[in-house]
Amino acid sequence: METGLAGKRVLVTGASGGIGSACARAFAAEGAEVIAHYHRGRERAEALGAVTVLGADLTDEEQVDHLFAEAGRLDVCAAVAGIWPAEDVPVWELSLERWRATLDANLTATFLTARAFLRQLEGDGSLVLVGSTAGLFGEAGHADYAASKSAIIGGLLLSLKNEVVRRSPRARVNAVAPGWTESPMTRGHVSDEQVRRVSRTMALRKVAQPDDVARQVVVLASPHLSGHVTGQVVTVAGGMEGRVVHE
Ligand SMILES: NC(=O)c1ccc[n+]([C@@H]2O[C@H](COP(=O)([O-])OP(=O)(O)OC[C@H]3O[C@@H](n4cnc5c(N)ncnc54)[C@H](OP(=O)(O)O)[C@@H]3O)[C@@H](O)[C@H]2O)c1
């Protein structure tokens, strides 16, 4: 089916990562002109091939604004970049330093990205945010991550949905909420036993592949497929219903 993305200028943040690189490839396959953002993984972004590659630390206001100035006019932005501190730490032991770093890398970076994208928006435009099932169900040992992702797919998304149309009457913003997805972020955390455990609340008992998420990002970004869809969160987690709390 035609997505209407051919020739559109698309910035994917976190395109050096697992889900972001799948998004960059999926947009390129639709004929979009892809600008692939990286932070530390320049070579991984360059390995994507026929795309423009730009670096920035998205927690830094100046670097974000410089990135968008270099990127030029954009039709679509997929704000994929983010971090998941792997260590399990309950709130009563969680350092303020980690809390702030996680909120900065996920929520503040998404705010700065959305702001810069909207400042340059002229015609129709589409912004796709990336949350997580942690933002829907919580994640014990990762309250910082869960809180940052809830804020993205809750207050930020729903406010943006009503604001973007002031910039452009047909502009849209949506989000995906992936569950466990095989990527560098989860490498070493998806043993067979862990997959058995986390998939116990999922109708489709599998850990997602980055392409599973990327296809939904493309569908939401597409003006043809999702032209009347805004403010929505699509959960890509095989029908997950929550977390296993007790064995
Ligand atoms: N994998 C999962 O199970 C899962 C589940 C739910 C949600 N998600 C979300 O999906 C998104 C992508 O995750 P992933 O699995 O693809 O992880 P990943 O492979 O670790 O990729 C993370 C990406 O974010 C970039 N990044 C991190 N900190 C940054 C910063 N300060 N400034 C700019 N870029 C920064 C990284 O850049 P460099 O590598 O270049 O430094 C990388 O491109 C994240 O928002 C994550 O929270 C993932």
Side-chain angles (χ1 to χ4, degrees), residues 192-212:
D192 288 351
E193 177 45 34
Q194 278 157 323
V195 171
R196 253 193 305 282
R197 213 175 88 81
V198 300
S199 66
R200 269 163 50 198
T201 74
M202 293 164 63
L204 306 174
R205 300 197 73 167
K206 72 154 198 174
V207 170
Q209 292 301 310
D211 282 342
D212 292 319

Side-chain angles (χ1 to χ4, degrees), residues 23-127:
C23 290
R25 280 191 296 270
F27 279 115
E30 294 305 317
E33 203 178 315
V34 177
I35 295 121
H37 156 268
Y38 67 91
H39 179 214
R40 298 203 173 95
R42 185 185 180 107
E43 313 76 48
R44 278 175 276 127
E46 281 174 346
L48 288 164
V51 291
T52 305
V53 168
L54 296 174
D57 177 349
L58 298 179
T59 64
D60 182 308
E61 185 175 27
E62 264 180 43
Q63 290 193 37
V64 176
D65 292 343
H66 185 249
L67 166 74
F68 277 80
E70 279 189 298
R73 188 191 59 76
L74 295 167
D75 303 295
V76 173
C77 176
V80 184
I83 62 163
W84 176 74
E87 195 190 348
D88 262 39
V89 183
V91 163
W92 58 89
E93 286 172 7
L94 190 61
S95 69
L96 181 57
E97 192 187 7
R98 170 165 144 179
W99 173 269
R100 284 192 170 139
T102 308
L103 270 284
D104 247 23
N106 292 340
L107 182 56
T108 305
T110 301
F111 152 67
L112 290 173
T113 301
R115 187 179 75 174
F117 175 68
L118 295 176
R119 282 180 175 168
Q120 63 81 55
L121 191 62
E122 279 173 8
D124 300 349
S126 174
L127 174 60

Side-chain angles (χ1 to χ4, degrees), residues 121-141:
L121 191 62
E122 279 173 8
D124 300 349
S126 174
L127 174 60
V128 183
L129 310 180
V130 176
S132 166
T133 48
L136 296 168
F137 303 120
E139 188 172 2

